[in-house]
Amino acid sequence: MDQAQKTSGKRTELQMARSMCWHCQSEVTGEYFCEQCIKVQPLSKELDYFTCLGLPRLLNIDINTLEAKFYALSRAFHPDFYQNKTESEQTISLENSALLNTAYRTLKDPIQRAEYLLKLEAGSAKDIRTSPPADLFEEILALQEDLEEYRSAQAGQNQVGLEQLRARLTVDRETLEQRQREMETRLFELFTTWDSLQSRQSQTEQAGRHLRQGKDAVLKEMRELLSNRTYLRNIVNDLIATTA
Amino acid sequence: MAYSEKVVDHFNNPRNMGSFKKDDEDVGTGIVGAPECGDVMKLQIKVQDEKIVDAKFKTFGCGSAIASSSLATEWLKGKTIEEAHKIKNTDIVQELNLPPVKIHCSVLAEDAIKAALNDYKKKTDTKESK
């Protein structure tokens, strides 16, 4: 909670691993470099990816802003610029760049961004207990049986039967793909809901609890959508691979 | 990362693949899924006098998930309901030498066993209350 407020609030600059310069021992006041000796400073390993890229913990992010920040930081930390520096500086440059790259890759993709947010907000995304989608499982098993039937029909001689099966599976696939699109639409709606909840300030304790409940509900629905999306993706891929 | 020999063996020669009629009174069915990878596993037991006389599975997922469920059906056969409850995912991990990234496959198999046992219990409970 405190963490979330911090990152959604003003605090967007990078946190350094230490408040003291590793080289000249003076207090670090510059952003990524010591103002006294101009040495590069290591990023804190606990830094979350949003903070790392100077972004609030929101789900709708402006890709241009993300990219600009990433390029600027890449230039600051890139190992190429540290070839003639000391070993310590080269190590810091490498580690900072690695963290930066992972942060950028994760946040660039909306699905990975949502998965990452779930992990941050729920400790571990898996800890959010959702009931398994029994209907979806039944549906997937039925489709897998149809696929098996199709595979054995492929081995046989019945061309007419095979074509009929293929036509049916194609319709099934199109229906599933439509559902995937609907799921994504809903997921992006939740992005916006999350962002508006994140920007809301709660004055009283009761309002704070209420806000937390609202956030948890959004996280839970996102968790469900992302899981169901994975199940659907697998069966759609199997359908495409088999009937292609 | 290479699969262990035992995983490959179960994958190439899956034991007890198939299914029973879901609505049969002596059959318990468990269907579970792993949200991380999208694998879906169905495991069924056939029970007579509190003893599991047969077990079958169908798993749509990776080699480790198939091997875990195949091994689970082998272990289930001949066990009592009570003994079946004691099968742990760590036993499967050990037997199949599953690497850390595949531990969730064994968890899935344990969940499937539990789900099948619960389903059977529910069936017998409603039968007795009739």
Side-chain angles (χ1 to χ4, degrees), chain A residues 188-223:
Chain A
F188 294 136
E189 278 171 21
L190 288 172
F191 276 27
T192 308
T193 314
W194 171 261
D195 290 358
S196 71
L197 288 173
Q198 275 290 67
S199 61
R200 201 179 292 172
Q201 298 291 331
S202 46
Q203 305 298 338
T204 63
E205 201 180 305
Q206 200 195 350
R209 247 198 328 269
H210 192 73
L211 184 61
R212 190 65 245 171
Q213 278 170 1
K215 284 184 183 177
D216 285 347
V218 173
L219 293 172
K220 184 165 188 277
E221 193 182 339
M222 269 201 292
R223 177 70 272 153

Side-chain angles (χ1 to χ4, degrees), chain B residues 30-92:
Chain B
I31 304 175
V32 292
E36 300 89 352
C37 54
D39 288 0
V40 178
M41 186 181 283
K42 178 168 91 169
L43 193 144
Q44 294 181 300
I45 49 169
K46 192 176 266 222
V47 186
Q48 267 160 30
D49 305 323
E50 289 295 289
K51 206 168 181 177
I52 297 166
V53 291
D54 206 356
K56 288 207 183 294
F57 82 95
K58 266 193 180 179
T59 294
F60 301 98
C62 69
S64 302
I66 291 170
S68 296
S69 42
S70 170
L71 177 69
T73 53
E74 266 200 327
W75 279 353
L76 282 169
K77 281 206 254 182
K79 282 205 164 55
T80 63
I81 298 274
E82 206 190 320
E83 287 166 343
H85 271 290
K86 288 183 191 144
I87 298 177
K88 290 272 165 289
N89 83 292
T90 43
D91 305 334
I92 298 170

Side-chain angles (χ1 to χ4, degrees), chain A residues 18 37 94 98 120 123 128 150 193 204 211 220 223:
Chain A
R18 282 170 294 190
C37 67
L94 265 178
L120 281 182
I128 303 178
Y150 182 81
T193 314
T204 63
L211 184 61
K220 184 165 188 277
R223 177 70 272 153

